[in-house]
């Protein structure tokens, strides 16, 4: 049994008790929320939503807030005496699938 869900601007293939990183959802650590279910498959039956399934439910629990890898950038313009460096760390959340149900 698995489902394809949408959290933020990304889609994930999830199964029971799977832990994964996603963009910040606005929830605090320990809170649970439901994700949009785009596809749900169990045994040999596949249910596809257009665009999402209203009857299926995937509950997620926020475990902790983390930061992603640091990304460095560098801008240089020749003969203009212009150089600039920058860095960015994306704020992420570690999320666990609590339950999958096709209702």
């Amino acid at each position: 049994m698995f489902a394809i869900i949408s959290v933020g601007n990304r889609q994930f293939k999830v199964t029971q008790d799977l832990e994964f990183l996603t963009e910040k959802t606005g929830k605090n650590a320990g809170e649970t929320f439901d994700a949009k279910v785009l596809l749900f498959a169990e045994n040999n039956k596949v249910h596809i939503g257009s665009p999402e399934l209203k009857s299926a439910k995937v509950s997620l629990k926020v475990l902790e807030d983390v930061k992603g890898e640091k990304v460095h950038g560098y801008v240089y313009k020749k003969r203009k005496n212009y150089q600039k460096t920058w860095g960015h760390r994306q704020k992420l959340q570690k999320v666990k699938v609590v339950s999958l149900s096709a209702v």
Side-chain angles (χ1 to χ4, degrees):
M1 174 170 36
F2 72 90
I4 295 180
I5 62 170
S6 175
V7 178
N9 293 328
R10 297 192 179 176
Q11 297 175 0
F12 300 95
K13 180 180 176 183
V14 297
T15 57
Q16 186 69 31
D17 298 327
L18 178 73
E19 293 181 3
F20 61 96
L21 292 174
T22 183
E23 298 172 357
K24 289 278 284 188
T25 58
K27 308 290 184 191
N28 295 325
E31 292 185 33
T32 59
F33 65 97
D34 295 333
K36 293 180 186 177
V37 181
L38 306 176
L39 180 139
F40 192 87
E42 70 179 326
N43 300 332
N44 292 330
K45 295 182 182 178
V46 176
H47 305 282
I48 301 172
S50 60
E52 63 181 270
L53 288 171
K54 300 292 183 187
S55 61
K57 183 178 177 183
V58 175
S59 295
L60 303 173
K61 181 178 182 181
V62 178
L63 299 178
E64 63 180 333
D65 293 338
V66 295
K67 287 186 177 179
E69 294 276 326
K70 182 127 186 180
V71 178
H72 296 280
Y74 179 74
V75 177
Y76 170 76
K77 294 188 179 180
K78 62 183 180 179
R79 297 187 303 270
K80 303 296 181 194
N81 196 21
Y82 179 79
Q83 298 178 38
K84 185 175 184 179
T85 60
W86 53 269
H88 173 73
R89 288 185 75 177
Q90 184 71 35
K91 294 179 181 173
L92 304 171
Q93 285 184 326
K94 190 172 186 180
V95 177
K96 181 178 182 179
V97 178
V98 178
S99 66
L100 293 165
S101 61
V103 181

